[in-house]
Amino acid sequence: NFFKENDIEAITTKIVKDYKILIKRPYHAKMIQWYVWGDCLPELTEKTYQVIMSLNKLGIPQYGFTRNRRLWELVPAKRDLNIGYSLDSLKKAKELSYGKMTACPDYKRGYARMIFNGHIRSSCNGWWCVTETGEERNSDCRICLKEGGGCYSNPIGYTSPHQS
């Protein structure tokens, strides 16, 4: 209801206020995560996009997943801003992943597969991450942001120094 009832400035102000509190917590990833399971309502697409871009201008890293294709198309892929389009079809997710992240849930294993340029770059469930090389590790979004992995793999105009 907060998104529906308030304007962009009020929403952005509230998110920034909450963010400043949360980043003081030891394990908090110091970024904003959008729609883990892809639930941006169509009627809030433009407003959500404007809030995301307002937060981006403030330098707050953001990532997330949405089943709202229009939102995915609007939000640019940047080094510190990556919104994946969630699809149940792995084939379709690979086809659409050129230039922007897509994601495909692996319900059996309990992971979301992050796909860039037709390749699964990692799988993550928020607790455990499986890298492109098959390494399993505790999921820490701060590491992915720093190293350009996971949700922060290969957006347009950025190549991780850890990629060969």
Side-chain angles (χ1 to χ4, degrees):
N1 282 340
F2 189 81
F3 254 71
K4 287 182 180 179
E5 296 171 0
N6 289 280
D7 65 18
I8 294 157
E9 184 177 345
I11 295 166
T12 302
T13 300
K14 172 73 170 130
I15 290 172
V16 170
K17 180 182 173 191
D18 291 349
Y19 174 78
K20 286 180 179 180
I21 293 167
L22 291 172
I23 62 172
K24 294 176 184 173
R25 294 188 178 167
Y27 185 71
H28 190 270
K30 295 167 184 47
M31 63 188 69
I32 294 173
Q33 181 179 12
W34 290 93
Y35 306 116
V36 176
W37 296 107
D39 56 2
C40 178
L41 298 172
E43 63 268 21
L44 293 176
T45 301
E46 297 296 325
K47 185 184 266 189
T48 301
Y49 164 72
Q50 291 176 12
V51 169
I52 289 170
M53 296 314 295
S54 294
L55 294 167
N56 183 250
K57 286 179 187 173
L58 295 172
I60 298 174
Q62 302 169 77
Y63 78 99
F65 305 94
T66 184
R67 291 185 182 272
N68 181 325
R69 185 165 180 166
R70 178 73 181 133
L71 179 63
W72 177 70
E73 290 170 344
L74 286 170
V75 177
K78 297 181 174 185
R79 169 66 179 99
D80 60 352
L81 175 61
N82 223 347
I83 305 295
Y85 182 39
S86 297
L87 299 126
D88 287 327
S89 166
L90 181 58
K91 179 182 177 189
K92 190 70 171 171
K94 285 181 175 183
E95 289 172 5
L96 292 173
S97 69
Y98 289 86
K100 292 185 89 172
M101 178 173 68
T102 58
C104 182
D106 179 343
Y107 294 111
K108 186 175 181 181
R109 293 186 60 217
Y111 287 93
R113 295 170 281 205
M114 271 60 89
I115 304 162
F116 295 88
N117 298 327
H119 299 285
I120 298 171
R121 296 296 307 269
S122 64
S123 297
C124 186
N125 66 9
W127 294 277
W128 289 101
C129 178
V130 180
T131 67
E132 189 174 22
T133 61
E135 172 194 1
E136 291 191 35
R137 67 177 188 219
N138 186 5
S139 178
D140 185 339
C141 299
R142 295 173 295 183
I143 293 171
C144 289
L145 177 61
K146 180 181 174 186
E147 296 181 358
C151 294
Y152 294 98
S153 297
N154 202 23
I156 294 173
Y158 175 75
T159 303
S160 167
H162 303 280
Q163 296 169 354
S164 49

